[in-house]
Amino acid sequence: MSFDLVLFGGTGDLAWRKLMPALFQAFRHGTLPAGGRIIGVARDDLSDAQYRQLMAERAERVEVAKRPNAEEFAQFGAMLHYLRMDLSQPADYERLAALLREREADCVVMYLATAPGLFTSVAEQIGAVGLNGPKTRMVLEKPLGHDLQSNRAINATLASVLSEDQIFRIDHYLGKPSVQNLFALRFGNTLFEPLWRRDTISNIQITIAEDLGVETRGAFYDQTGALRDMVQNHALQLLCAIGMEPPINSSAGAIRDEKLKVLQSLKPWTPESLAQHVVRGRYASGTALGQPVPGYLQEKGVAATSTTETFVALRTEISNWRWAGVPFYIRTGKRLAGRDAHIAINFRPVPHPIFKTPLGAANRLVINLQPRDGLELHLLAQSAAQDQAEPALAPVHLNLDFDQRFGAERVGAYERLLLDVIAGRLNLFVRSDEQEEAWRWVEPILQHWRNDPAGPRSYAAGGWGPSAASAMIARDGHCWSEEM
């Protein structure tokens, strides 16, 4: 199968940090279809040879396991080409069209690794030069819009140029092996699905924590914030994977239909719940990784009067028969105590205890997403050395590390998603109605914050966010994973 992958923003950070390493890994694994052509597009004045040299130099900066040796890059680099384009000039799109029509590949992938503000104009220009035929697929990175209105405007433009099955809205969390195993855990095994409901589950927690600050992305992040950057997309997609009903089959349409139902079932916000169940924070100076670090307002590119949040914790519910009354807690933030993304499924205690157990002890399933990748099942067991006259239980756990179990068979998120785009598989991509429903649910939070003069709560870098996040979950009689 021949393909042309046009990489708009071909010299940018996303291209060389994530996309090129992922494409190279697919090439190394023998899964990248032969006869492919990767065309970098940017405003820099480069030849094909200079572009290959630039990518070879930047490949030296990626993690060691993903670096090609000279022989490997020589073979992979033969696929790389370059076209100088000014994305505001219609004539440059004609040049791109001429280049692509030289060989009429089986599929053409347009990957927009550009500023989101360019999405609509690029899509319109691609349509204007006739590059929107049935073989074309367009990949769009987040954020797709700044709010519900802007998201609808982008989707309307895309729909005027391409059909829905040609649009691949990428969320790299859905490509993570651990998230794939979440679907396998639920729908490929009989063990947990009968327990996956309100009768046996007490609460569910989704944590996406980063120990880094905004680094060099201060100006971008100050226009985005944690809610738009992480909750509206990554966290809600994880919530959908946990909460959705079993689809009728594994097709993209069936999976996306069930995810949409979850988003439509999220409990609507009220003024009272917005005040009690949403916490926003912003990191102040502190210590991270053993080194003193500045606060958010001292970061380069951040406005001194900024009210942008770097932390969000919230409580919601899925209002349906399976989940009614079960709280779902989401938190995400920068400059926290560690880099840790996981989902904790906390089960209810036994209805009639006959053993002595530690206070608050109950079964728990932890799905680790990063940096570890695997499952932990927390149980209670009795030690044989204990006095049998008054037996007591102690916590034990089973730990499945997917990296150790599968080793070299692991496929990275972007590698998987790029191969899916080339193959035309939509299962791991977000449909327009899903995305709009997520924005619709997030919008009241944004409006509430605009009218809230208090602004974000301060928390010291290197901690777990504002104390209000712990107080919020404690009101339900629960606590976050690290507090157990």
Side-chain angles (χ1 to χ4, degrees), residues 43-280:
R43 299 184 69 166
D44 307 80
D45 192 7
L46 302 172
S47 65
D48 287 355
Q50 288 172 321
Y51 184 59
R52 290 167 187 152
Q53 179 62 31
L54 177 65
M55 290 299 107
E57 291 171 358
R58 290 186 173 175
E60 293 301 311
R61 304 184 204 174
V62 303
E63 57 186 278
V64 175
K66 294 183 179 180
R67 290 181 194 169
N69 59 41
E71 182 179 349
E72 287 176 323
F73 190 85
Q75 296 173 6
F76 173 70
M79 302 176 69
L80 303 184
H81 302 268
Y82 184 80
L83 180 66
R84 184 187 180 281
M85 282 186 68
D86 181 339
L87 298 183
S88 66
Q89 298 300 314
D92 284 1
Y93 291 88
E94 294 285 1
R95 293 172 52 235
L96 174 62
L99 178 63
L100 295 175
R101 287 168 183 152
E102 286 177 0
R103 67 176 202 142
E104 296 291 338
D106 294 329
C107 83
V108 176
V109 176
M110 306 282 189
Y111 200 119
L112 272 60
T114 66
L118 294 172
F119 288 171
T120 54
S121 61
V122 171
E124 289 170 341
Q125 292 292 345
I126 285 171
V129 297
L131 286 177
N132 58 334
K135 296 189 296 183
T136 296
R137 293 155 194 165
M138 183 176 289
V139 185
L140 299 112
E141 281 279 346
K142 72 172 181 72
L144 228 66
H146 196 69
D147 53 18
L148 179 59
Q149 182 180 358
S150 58
N151 178 256
R152 282 175 168 166
I154 292 172
N155 281 331
T157 300
L158 294 173
S160 71
V161 177
L162 301 163
S163 63
E164 182 63 35
D165 62 4
Q166 291 178 279
I167 303 169
F168 291 71
R169 299 171 187 82
I170 196 167
D171 185 330
H172 73 271
Y173 259 70
L174 293 180
K176 287 181 176 291
S178 47
V179 178
Q180 298 307 296
N181 273 299
L182 173 55
F183 287 103
L185 175 78
R186 288 202 57 195
F187 307 130
N189 298 280
T190 60
L191 182 61
F192 289 108
E193 188 58 27
L195 306 177
W196 215 261
R197 59 193 68 250
R198 64 185 304 274
D199 306 305
T200 49
I201 291 178
S202 167
N203 68 90
I204 294 175
Q205 302 176 17
I206 299 171
T207 294
I208 306 174
E210 300 178 73
D211 52 14
L212 297 176
V214 295
E215 305 304 299
T216 60
R217 300 169 68 233
F220 163 78
Y221 194 89
D222 206 37
Q223 300 299 315
T224 307
L227 186 71
R228 293 182 177 96
D229 191 42
M230 299 299 290
V231 175
Q232 185 273 333
N233 38 71
H234 301 328
L236 285 186
Q237 285 295 315
L238 293 175
L239 185 147
C240 287
I242 299 164
M244 65 189 279
E245 294 297 320
I248 57 172
N249 55 44
S250 61
S251 69
I255 292 171
R256 291 155 127 190
D257 287 346
E258 296 302 335
K259 288 197 295 174
L260 178 62
K261 290 176 185 177
V262 173
L263 293 168
Q264 292 171 333
S265 301
L266 288 175
K267 196 170 184 177
W269 294 108
T270 66
E272 294 75 20
S273 63
L274 285 167
Q276 293 185 9
H277 296 157
V278 181
V279 175
R280 62 170 167 162

Side-chain angles (χ1 to χ4, degrees), residues 205 276 278-279 311-314 329-331 457 463-484:
Q205 302 176 17
Q276 293 185 9
V278 181
V279 175
F311 175 95
V312 177
L314 60 84
Y329 303 103
I330 294 172
R331 65 172 171 171
R457 298 170 186 265
W464 279 107
S467 59
S470 295
M472 176 193 70
I473 193 171
R475 283 196 291 269
D476 292 336
H478 305 307
C479 62
W480 296 107
S481 298
E482 74 279 357
E483 298 168 344
M484 291 182 177

Side-chain angles (χ1 to χ4, degrees), residues 341-357:
H342 68 267
I343 302 165
I345 315 291
N346 295 301
F347 291 89
R348 297 185 186 279
V350 294
H352 178 62
I354 61 173
F355 300 102
K356 290 177 61 178
T357 59

